[in-house]
């Protein structure tokens, strides 16, 4: 696994009585980053995945006292894909304000979607970080400068999504899957993209050029 620079930065923010919010595009390694963080911190953790259908109802109408019971003696609470949970901003605010002994971590694949639900309730109550695909510096730290100079042209063409880096022989197929599964879904939520067909045709032209 390639070491991400944000790991040490975020680790310094644990247990400061603020939520840690990590957003970014899908499949850039947010869940992997959080797993690394909680392993290194070494405290009891409870994990909720907002994509699972039984998780959002679990938090519906919940009080801070009920959440205290839900978390038990866990010291780290992770809510992955938090944008899927109704009223997530208010829920996170209740945790920060009323259960200060718990370190709350929320991740969101759709940064603009999660931010719209968090900014007002969590004003002054969060550290927020945006995770990008793997950076050139991170690649150099992992593989060395010489190898990355040799691979530079391919990096410029195929980018640096973790799955592209680790399975480069299937890079074109992986990028096609990412665009079909995620990019259309997320990007078309943006209000300023009104000419949908033009956007789709442009993206298809780019992907065709990669094959």
């Amino acid at each position: 696994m390639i070491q991400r620079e944000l790991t040490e930065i975020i680790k310094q923010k644990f247990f400061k009585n603020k939520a840690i919010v990590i957003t970014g595009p899908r499949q850039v390694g947010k869940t992997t980053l959080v797993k690394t963080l909680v392993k290194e911190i070494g405290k009891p953790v409870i994990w909720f995945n907002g994509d699972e259908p039984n998780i959002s109802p679990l938090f519906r109408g919940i009080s801070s006292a009920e959440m205290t019971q839900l978390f038990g003696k866990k010291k780290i609470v992770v809510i992955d894909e938090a944008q899927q949970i109704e009223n997530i901003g208010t829920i996170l605010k209740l945790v920060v304000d009323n259960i200060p002994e718990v370190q709350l971590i929320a991740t969101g694949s759709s940064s603009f979607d999660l931010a719209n639900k968090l900014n007002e309730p969590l004003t002054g109550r969060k550290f927020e970080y945006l995770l990008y695909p793997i950076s050139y510096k991170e690649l150099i730290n992992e593989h060395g400068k010489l190898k990355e100079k040799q691979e530079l042209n391919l990096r410029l063409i195929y980018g640096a999504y973790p799955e592209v880096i680790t399975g480069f022989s299937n890079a074109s197929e992986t990028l096609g899957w990412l665009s079909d599964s995620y990019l259309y879904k997320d990007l078309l939520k943006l209000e300023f993209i009104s000419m949908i067909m033009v956007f789709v045709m442009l993206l298809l032209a780019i992907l065709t050029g990669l094959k």
Side-chain angles (χ1 to χ4, degrees):
M1 188 189 72
I2 296 176
Q3 180 71 18
R4 306 306 301 266
E5 287 191 299
L6 275 180
T7 304
E8 290 302 318
I9 295 172
I10 296 176
K11 197 159 63 172
Q12 301 305 314
K13 302 300 184 182
F14 269 66
F15 298 105
K16 305 290 187 185
N17 198 27
K18 291 189 178 185
I20 295 172
V21 179
I22 304 172
T23 60
R26 296 174 186 267
Q27 299 297 308
V28 293
K30 295 182 297 298
T31 301
T32 301
L33 173 63
V34 174
K35 287 181 178 179
T36 300
L37 284 165
V38 298
K39 182 178 180 180
E40 292 184 6
I41 294 296
K43 291 187 179 293
V45 58
I46 185 169
W47 195 290
F48 301 96
N49 185 344
D51 278 336
E52 295 182 6
N54 63 323
I55 295 300
S56 187
L58 189 64
F59 286 95
R60 189 172 298 134
I62 195 170
S63 67
S64 55
E66 290 169 330
M67 280 192 282
T68 300
Q69 293 179 338
L70 178 64
F71 302 155
K73 295 183 178 181
K74 306 300 185 184
K75 296 301 181 183
I76 300 175
V77 174
V78 178
I79 304 180
D80 205 9
E81 301 298 347
Q83 78 278 357
Q84 304 291 0
I85 297 175
E86 186 179 354
N87 297 321
I88 185 61
T90 301
I91 291 167
L92 301 187
K93 177 180 180 293
L94 285 174
V95 177
V96 173
D97 288 349
N98 298 291
I99 318 176
E101 67 273 17
V102 162
Q103 176 58 64
L104 180 62
I105 305 174
T107 76
S109 294
S110 182
S111 59
F112 47 84
D113 191 14
L114 185 59
N116 288 339
K117 298 176 180 179
L118 292 186
N119 280 338
E120 185 175 348
L122 281 187
T123 299
R125 296 178 174 88
K126 63 181 169 71
F127 298 113
E128 186 169 2
Y129 301 93
L130 178 59
L131 186 66
Y132 294 97
I134 299 170
S135 71
Y136 188 55
K137 182 178 179 180
E138 290 168 336
L139 288 169
I140 289 177
N141 290 339
E142 182 70 18
H143 301 140
K145 192 170 185 178
L146 178 60
K147 175 176 173 56
E148 284 309 314
K149 276 193 170 183
Q150 295 171 340
E151 301 285 346
L152 181 58
N153 286 341
L154 294 176
R155 302 293 188 222
L156 292 173
I157 294 172
Y158 293 101
Y161 273 90
E163 193 164 344
V164 171
I165 298 297
T166 58
F168 193 75
S169 60
N170 298 313
S172 295
E173 182 180 350
T174 299
L175 288 176
W177 165 71
L178 285 171
S179 65
D180 290 341
S181 300
Y182 297 129
L183 293 182
Y184 286 157
K185 179 180 177 181
D186 285 350
L187 288 175
L188 294 179
K189 289 182 182 178
L190 292 173
E191 293 180 0
F192 61 81
I193 298 182
S194 56
M195 300 177 66
I196 293 178
M197 289 308 300
V198 173
F199 169 75
V200 170
M201 291 172 63
L202 176 61
L203 189 53
L204 285 174
I206 294 172
L207 292 174
T208 301
L210 293 177
K211 295 179 181 179

